Amino acid sequence: MRLDIEQTEFAAAVREFAEEQIKPVIGGFYERGEFPIDLVRELGKLGVLGVTLPEEYGGSGQGLFMLGLALEEIARVDASVAVTVEASVTLGAEGIARYGTKEQRERWLPRLAAGEGLVAFALTEPGGGTDAGHTETKARLEDGEWVIDGAKCFITNAGTEMTDLIIATAQTGPGEVSCIAVEPGTPGLQVGPEYSKVGWRASDTRPVYFDSCRVPEANLMGQRGRGFVQFLELLDGGRVAIAALATGSAQGCLDESVAHAKEREAFGRPIAQNQAIAFMLADMRLRAHTSRLAWQDAALRADAGEPFGADAALAKLHASQAAVENARDATQIFGGYGFMNETPVARAWRDCKILEIGEGTNEVQRMIIARSLGV
Ligand SMILES: Cc1cc2nc3c(=O)[nH]c(=O)nc-3n(C[C@H](O)[C@H](O)[C@H](O)COP(=O)(O)OP(=O)(O)OC[C@H]3O[C@@H](n4cnc5c(N)ncnc54)[C@H](O)[C@@H]3O)c2cc1C
């Protein structure tokens, strides 16, 4: 896909930031399981967190394609930072922009567009994430306030210093799911400790509990009872974004592997000169390339206002598998060094598996694609 000047310059600026600011330090954050707040703030200043948000609130009013370009560039270097951006923008801030009232948009979007705040979107519960329509968290109206009770798990961005908002799905009546915004510090909201995760270790993922947590009635996000439809719509965009992120990881693994295979010698010559290694690199390039075509196609459809749900599922399914396979091949090419956390490909190996699980598992993507075929 040929990029225009604006897209080329934006992608180049994000790439430069990823290479010069993220790459040298992210390994340390990853090892410590520490959220790199300053890097996320700097990305905010670059306009990455506001790229899709309306210009009237300080965003750039660009579409999913532009966001995908940024996510791919960040994920080439590191997936933890990329998913921090992805979760906040596609599921959180986009939800406010699309379904929020004028008051909600005026209140929350300017800080999000400026990259000063983050949003967490809390859908998954301990009882299940795939069957998301069966949310057990409940919210009832009492004296002009929503009173929320329940628990959510695995919530990205729930507990950072930058978190402005947690948007939670809750049952607001029989068979009725709605989205409600809760600000950190609200009595009755408890954000648990960071999980010990296999990968994405520099991202913030926590359980969230609501114990008679009261928020104003006006914190209802969008129409009452439309929460399920809203998050399905948001997840379509989220899947394209995850596909772009996965493409970045797949490309990053390829770049690292090509450089290593040309330099590392065995039996007196670079390992790249063995056809087994060269073919592995060729397959890695193929996967990164087709993943890019898939996410960009879905993003262009989304930005044109065309139906893109099945294309998003296809892109997410293909790119996440490509990322997992490229991470596996990259660690193989790196040999023992590929198993050492000091190498970026080892980080990718740990990071990529979740791409087949989050934002709807790959079984869910297959269900969506099959449904689009009428089966
Ligand atoms: C690091 C991380 C960050 C996350 N961030 C967020 C977040 O910000 N917000 C949020 O809400 N959630 C988040 N999640 C949760 C994630 O979206 C869920 O883990 C995911 O949707 C799967 O849900 P589950 O874990 O409950 O698995 P389950 O729903 O228990 O599924 C288990 C397995 O069964 C399969 N399965 C289930 N039903 C079917 C079926 N009908 N046919 C075939 N197979 C089926 C699934 O595909 C899966 O393989 C995050 C998770 C992680 C690990």
Short mmCIF file of all heavy atoms in Angstrom, two decimals, residues 73-109:
data_model
loop_
_atom_site.label_atom_id
_atom_site.label_comp_id
_atom_site.label_asym_id
_atom_site.label_seq_id
_atom_site.Cartn_x
_atom_site.Cartn_y
_atom_site.Cartn_z
N GLU A 73 4.40 0.61 13.92
CA GLU A 73 5.77 1.11 14.17
C GLU A 73 6.18 0.90 15.63
O GLU A 73 7.33 0.55 15.91
CB GLU A 73 5.86 2.60 13.82
CG GLU A 73 5.75 2.89 12.33
CD GLU A 73 6.85 2.24 11.49
OE1 GLU A 73 7.88 1.84 12.06
OE2 GLU A 73 6.65 2.10 10.28
N ILE A 74 5.27 1.13 16.55
CA ILE A 74 5.62 0.94 17.97
C ILE A 74 5.89 -0.54 18.24
O ILE A 74 6.88 -0.91 18.87
CB ILE A 74 4.51 1.46 18.91
CG1 ILE A 74 4.24 2.95 18.67
CG2 ILE A 74 4.88 1.23 20.38
CD1 ILE A 74 2.96 3.46 19.31
N ALA A 75 4.99 -1.40 17.72
CA ALA A 75 5.11 -2.83 18.02
C ALA A 75 6.31 -3.48 17.34
O ALA A 75 6.74 -4.55 17.77
CB ALA A 75 3.83 -3.56 17.63
N ARG A 76 6.85 -2.88 16.31
CA ARG A 76 8.09 -3.40 15.73
C ARG A 76 9.17 -3.47 16.80
O ARG A 76 10.07 -4.29 16.76
CB ARG A 76 8.58 -2.46 14.61
CG ARG A 76 8.15 -2.88 13.22
CD ARG A 76 8.71 -1.94 12.18
NE ARG A 76 10.11 -2.18 11.92
CZ ARG A 76 11.09 -1.31 12.13
NH1 ARG A 76 10.84 -0.12 12.60
NH2 ARG A 76 12.34 -1.62 11.86
N VAL A 77 9.07 -2.54 17.75
CA VAL A 77 10.07 -2.44 18.80
C VAL A 77 9.57 -3.03 20.12
O VAL A 77 10.29 -3.71 20.84
CB VAL A 77 10.45 -0.95 18.98
CG1 VAL A 77 11.24 -0.72 20.24
CG2 VAL A 77 11.22 -0.47 17.77
N ASP A 78 8.30 -2.78 20.44
CA ASP A 78 7.77 -3.25 21.73
C ASP A 78 6.25 -3.30 21.73
O ASP A 78 5.58 -2.33 21.37
CB ASP A 78 8.23 -2.32 22.87
CG ASP A 78 7.53 -2.68 24.16
OD1 ASP A 78 7.79 -3.78 24.66
OD2 ASP A 78 6.69 -1.90 24.62
N ALA A 79 5.71 -4.43 22.20
CA ALA A 79 4.25 -4.62 22.19
C ALA A 79 3.56 -4.07 23.44
O ALA A 79 2.37 -3.74 23.39
CB ALA A 79 3.93 -6.10 22.04
N SER A 80 4.29 -3.96 24.57
CA SER A 80 3.63 -3.47 25.80
C SER A 80 3.15 -2.03 25.62
O SER A 80 2.02 -1.69 26.00
CB SER A 80 4.62 -3.49 26.98
OG SER A 80 4.99 -4.78 27.32
N VAL A 81 4.02 -1.19 25.05
CA VAL A 81 3.64 0.21 24.84
C VAL A 81 2.53 0.28 23.79
O VAL A 81 1.56 1.04 23.92
CB VAL A 81 4.87 1.06 24.42
CG1 VAL A 81 4.45 2.48 24.10
CG2 VAL A 81 5.92 1.05 25.52
N ALA A 82 2.68 -0.56 22.75
CA ALA A 82 1.67 -0.54 21.68
C ALA A 82 0.29 -0.90 22.21
O ALA A 82 -0.71 -0.26 21.87
CB ALA A 82 2.09 -1.49 20.56
N VAL A 83 0.21 -1.91 23.08
CA VAL A 83 -1.12 -2.32 23.54
C VAL A 83 -1.70 -1.29 24.52
O VAL A 83 -2.92 -1.13 24.62
CB VAL A 83 -1.12 -3.74 24.14
CG1 VAL A 83 -0.51 -3.79 25.53
CG2 VAL A 83 -2.55 -4.27 24.16
N THR A 84 -0.83 -0.57 25.20
CA THR A 84 -1.31 0.50 26.09
C THR A 84 -2.08 1.53 25.26
O THR A 84 -3.19 1.95 25.62
CB THR A 84 -0.10 1.17 26.78
OG1 THR A 84 0.59 0.18 27.54
CG2 THR A 84 -0.53 2.32 27.67
N VAL A 85 -1.49 1.90 24.14
CA VAL A 85 -2.12 2.87 23.23
C VAL A 85 -3.39 2.26 22.63
O VAL A 85 -4.46 2.87 22.63
CB VAL A 85 -1.14 3.27 22.10
CG1 VAL A 85 -1.83 4.13 21.06
CG2 VAL A 85 0.08 3.98 22.67
N GLU A 86 -3.25 1.04 22.14
CA GLU A 86 -4.36 0.38 21.45
C GLU A 86 -5.60 0.30 22.33
O GLU A 86 -6.71 0.65 21.92
CB GLU A 86 -3.92 -1.02 21.00
CG GLU A 86 -4.90 -1.75 20.13
CD GLU A 86 -6.02 -2.44 20.89
OE1 GLU A 86 -5.82 -2.84 22.04
OE2 GLU A 86 -7.12 -2.55 20.32
N ALA A 87 -5.42 -0.19 23.56
CA ALA A 87 -6.57 -0.40 24.44
C ALA A 87 -7.23 0.93 24.80
O ALA A 87 -8.46 1.05 24.83
CB ALA A 87 -6.13 -1.14 25.70
N SER A 88 -6.40 1.93 25.05
CA SER A 88 -6.97 3.22 25.46
C SER A 88 -7.73 3.89 24.31
O SER A 88 -8.83 4.41 24.50
CB SER A 88 -5.86 4.16 25.95
OG SER A 88 -6.42 5.37 26.39
N VAL A 89 -7.15 3.83 23.12
CA VAL A 89 -7.75 4.56 22.00
C VAL A 89 -8.96 3.82 21.42
O VAL A 89 -10.06 4.37 21.35
CB VAL A 89 -6.71 4.83 20.88
CG1 VAL A 89 -7.36 5.53 19.70
CG2 VAL A 89 -5.56 5.67 21.42
N THR A 90 -8.75 2.56 21.00
CA THR A 90 -9.82 1.91 20.22
C THR A 90 -11.02 1.51 21.07
O THR A 90 -12.15 1.56 20.60
CB THR A 90 -9.32 0.67 19.46
OG1 THR A 90 -8.80 -0.27 20.39
CG2 THR A 90 -8.25 1.03 18.45
N LEU A 91 -10.78 1.08 22.31
CA LEU A 91 -11.90 0.62 23.12
C LEU A 91 -12.41 1.70 24.06
O LEU A 91 -13.61 1.77 24.35
CB LEU A 91 -11.51 -0.62 23.94
CG LEU A 91 -10.97 -1.80 23.12
CD1 LEU A 91 -10.64 -2.98 24.02
CD2 LEU A 91 -11.98 -2.23 22.06
N GLY A 92 -11.51 2.56 24.52
CA GLY A 92 -11.91 3.56 25.51
C GLY A 92 -12.30 4.89 24.91
O GLY A 92 -13.48 5.26 24.84
N ALA A 93 -11.29 5.63 24.44
CA ALA A 93 -11.54 6.99 23.96
C ALA A 93 -12.51 7.01 22.76
O ALA A 93 -13.38 7.88 22.67
CB ALA A 93 -10.21 7.64 23.58
N GLU A 94 -12.36 6.02 21.88
CA GLU A 94 -13.27 5.94 20.72
C GLU A 94 -14.72 5.77 21.18
O GLU A 94 -15.64 6.30 20.56
CB GLU A 94 -12.89 4.74 19.84
CG GLU A 94 -12.03 5.08 18.67
CD GLU A 94 -12.63 6.11 17.73
OE1 GLU A 94 -13.74 5.90 17.23
OE2 GLU A 94 -11.98 7.14 17.52
N GLY A 95 -14.89 5.01 22.24
CA GLY A 95 -16.25 4.79 22.77
C GLY A 95 -16.87 6.10 23.25
O GLY A 95 -18.05 6.37 23.01
N ILE A 96 -16.04 6.92 23.90
CA ILE A 96 -16.56 8.22 24.37
C ILE A 96 -16.89 9.10 23.17
O ILE A 96 -17.94 9.75 23.11
CB ILE A 96 -15.52 8.92 25.28
CG1 ILE A 96 -15.17 8.03 26.47
CG2 ILE A 96 -16.05 10.28 25.76
CD1 ILE A 96 -13.97 8.51 27.27
N ALA A 97 -15.97 9.11 22.19
CA ALA A 97 -16.18 9.96 21.00
C ALA A 97 -17.44 9.54 20.26
O ALA A 97 -18.20 10.37 19.76
CB ALA A 97 -14.96 9.88 20.09
N ARG A 98 -17.67 8.23 20.20
CA ARG A 98 -18.79 7.74 19.40
C ARG A 98 -20.12 7.75 20.14
O ARG A 98 -21.16 8.11 19.58
CB ARG A 98 -18.52 6.30 18.99
CG ARG A 98 -18.04 6.23 17.57
CD ARG A 98 -18.18 4.83 17.08
NE ARG A 98 -16.85 4.37 16.73
CZ ARG A 98 -16.60 3.16 16.31
NH1 ARG A 98 -17.56 2.27 16.25
NH2 ARG A 98 -15.40 2.82 15.97
N TYR A 99 -20.09 7.34 21.39
CA TYR A 99 -21.37 7.13 22.10
C TYR A 99 -21.60 8.10 23.25
O TYR A 99 -22.69 8.13 23.80
CB TYR A 99 -21.44 5.69 22.65
CG TYR A 99 -21.10 4.65 21.63
CD1 TYR A 99 -19.94 3.90 21.73
CD2 TYR A 99 -21.94 4.43 20.54
CE1 TYR A 99 -19.61 2.95 20.77
CE2 TYR A 99 -21.62 3.49 19.58
CZ TYR A 99 -20.45 2.75 19.70
OH TYR A 99 -20.13 1.82 18.75
N GLY A 100 -20.57 8.85 23.61
CA GLY A 100 -20.71 9.75 24.76
C GLY A 100 -21.64 10.93 24.47
O GLY A 100 -21.84 11.31 23.32
N THR A 101 -22.20 11.49 25.53
CA THR A 101 -23.00 12.71 25.38
C THR A 101 -22.05 13.88 25.13
O THR A 101 -20.83 13.75 25.33
CB THR A 101 -23.79 13.00 26.66
OG1 THR A 101 -22.83 13.19 27.72
CG2 THR A 101 -24.74 11.86 27.03
N LYS A 102 -22.61 15.03 24.76
CA LYS A 102 -21.77 16.20 24.52
C LYS A 102 -20.98 16.54 25.80
O LYS A 102 -19.79 16.85 25.76
CB LYS A 102 -22.68 17.38 24.13
CG LYS A 102 -21.95 18.59 23.64
CD LYS A 102 -22.92 19.54 22.95
CE LYS A 102 -22.23 20.80 22.45
NZ LYS A 102 -21.73 21.66 23.49
N GLU A 103 -21.66 16.45 26.94
CA GLU A 103 -21.00 16.76 28.22
C GLU A 103 -19.84 15.79 28.49
O GLU A 103 -18.77 16.19 28.94
CB GLU A 103 -21.99 16.69 29.40
CG GLU A 103 -23.04 17.79 29.43
CD GLU A 103 -24.09 17.66 28.32
OE1 GLU A 103 -24.38 16.50 27.90
OE2 GLU A 103 -24.59 18.70 27.85
N GLN A 104 -20.09 14.52 28.22
CA GLN A 104 -19.03 13.52 28.45
C GLN A 104 -17.84 13.76 27.53
O GLN A 104 -16.69 13.67 27.94
CB GLN A 104 -19.58 12.10 28.23
CG GLN A 104 -20.55 11.65 29.31
CD GLN A 104 -21.26 10.35 28.96
OE1 GLN A 104 -21.31 9.95 27.80
NE2 GLN A 104 -21.84 9.71 29.96
N ARG A 105 -18.14 14.08 26.28
CA ARG A 105 -17.04 14.32 25.33
C ARG A 105 -16.24 15.56 25.76
O ARG A 105 -15.01 15.54 25.74
CB ARG A 105 -17.59 14.51 23.91
CG ARG A 105 -18.20 13.22 23.35
CD ARG A 105 -18.28 13.25 21.83
NE ARG A 105 -19.11 14.32 21.33
CZ ARG A 105 -20.40 14.22 21.07
NH1 ARG A 105 -21.02 13.07 21.27
NH2 ARG A 105 -21.08 15.24 20.61
N GLU A 106 -16.98 16.62 26.15
CA GLU A 106 -16.27 17.85 26.56
C GLU A 106 -15.45 17.62 27.82
O GLU A 106 -14.37 18.19 28.00
CB GLU A 106 -17.28 18.97 26.80
CG GLU A 106 -17.78 19.56 25.50
CD GLU A 106 -18.92 20.53 25.68
OE1 GLU A 106 -19.44 20.66 26.82
OE2 GLU A 106 -19.31 21.16 24.68
N ARG A 107 -15.94 16.77 28.67
CA ARG A 107 -15.26 16.55 29.95
C ARG A 107 -14.01 15.67 29.81
O ARG A 107 -12.98 15.94 30.43
CB ARG A 107 -16.25 15.88 30.90
CG ARG A 107 -15.71 15.63 32.27
CD ARG A 107 -16.83 15.30 33.22
NE ARG A 107 -16.32 14.84 34.48
CZ ARG A 107 -17.03 14.16 35.36
NH1 ARG A 107 -18.29 13.90 35.10
NH2 ARG A 107 -16.51 13.78 36.49
N TRP A 108 -14.13 14.59 29.01
CA TRP A 108 -13.04 13.61 29.01
C TRP A 108 -12.13 13.63 27.78
O TRP A 108 -10.96 13.26 27.89
CB TRP A 108 -13.64 12.20 29.19
CG TRP A 108 -14.16 11.97 30.58
CD1 TRP A 108 -13.52 12.26 31.75
CD2 TRP A 108 -15.43 11.41 30.96
NE1 TRP A 108 -14.30 11.91 32.83
CE2 TRP A 108 -15.48 11.37 32.38
CE3 TRP A 108 -16.51 10.90 30.26
CZ2 TRP A 108 -16.56 10.88 33.08
CZ3 TRP A 108 -17.59 10.40 30.95
CH2 TRP A 108 -17.62 10.40 32.36
N LEU A 109 -12.67 14.03 26.63
CA LEU A 109 -11.84 13.89 25.42
C LEU A 109 -10.62 14.81 25.32
O LEU A 109 -9.57 14.37 24.82
CB LEU A 109 -12.71 14.02 24.15
CG LEU A 109 -13.60 12.81 23.85
CD1 LEU A 109 -14.34 13.00 22.52
CD2 LEU A 109 -12.79 11.52 23.81
#
